[in-house]
Amino acid sequence: MKNSQLYKGSLNTIIMKLLEENGKMYGYEITQKVKSITQGELNITEGALYPALHKLEAEGLLDVEIEKVDNRMRKYYKLTEKGTTETVNRLSELEDFIRNMQSLVNPKLEF
């Protein structure tokens, strides 16, 4: 199910959840963490990741810190206070969605 359309609608929530758990992260680190967690099933491309990060930043949900690492500048992303609150809301919505989809796909399983 690599790079499925089903994941695309959840990308912002995935990013926010990772930042909630890890504090601050840089772009490549986010892609590798998702790949690791999903055992290679989900690969987030730079073409999908960076527009999502920029959108979240524009919405006031992320802050950016720039640090010099090995003679190059690296952008780290972290949740703002508003971003932390919004992460809770989006995770709740996603959990409800997953529960509803599970009921539709396999109605015999009870949660």
Side-chain angles (χ1 to χ4, degrees):
M1 207 158 121
K2 293 180 175 42
N3 296 319
S4 166
Q5 287 289 359
L6 295 173
Y7 287 115
K8 288 186 177 29
S10 302
L11 179 57
N12 290 346
T13 306
I14 291 167
I15 292 168
M16 294 168 72
K17 175 63 176 168
L18 288 175
L19 292 173
E20 177 191 58
E21 291 176 345
N22 297 286
K24 65 181 184 178
M25 300 176 80
Y26 57 96
Y28 181 73
E29 183 179 16
I30 293 169
T31 64
Q32 294 308 297
K33 186 75 168 175
V34 169
K35 192 174 187 179
S36 172
I37 290 169
T38 64
Q39 298 173 345
E41 284 294 312
L42 178 59
N43 295 305
I44 299 175
T45 64
E46 288 183 17
L49 177 67
Y50 288 101
L53 288 169
H54 296 149
K55 182 176 185 291
L56 291 169
E57 182 184 359
E59 291 174 1
L61 303 175
L62 297 185
D63 273 336
V64 175
E65 291 178 2
I66 299 175
E67 291 182 19
K68 190 171 186 177
V69 178
D70 297 329
N71 282 335
R72 28 176 277 174
M73 303 309 280
R74 180 178 284 166
K75 267 189 179 183
Y76 285 91
Y77 298 88
K78 66 179 185 175
L79 292 172
T80 61
E81 188 174 323
K82 178 182 174 185
T84 301
T85 302
E86 186 62 20
T87 299
V88 172
N89 295 336
R90 291 187 186 192
L91 286 171
S92 177
E93 287 176 11
L94 184 58
E95 288 169 355
D96 289 344
F97 173 76
I98 291 167
R99 203 171 14 263
N100 287 329
M101 290 305 295
Q102 185 63 49
S103 296
L104 291 167
V105 173
N106 197 348
K108 293 178 181 159
L109 290 179
E110 294 286 326
F111 286 92

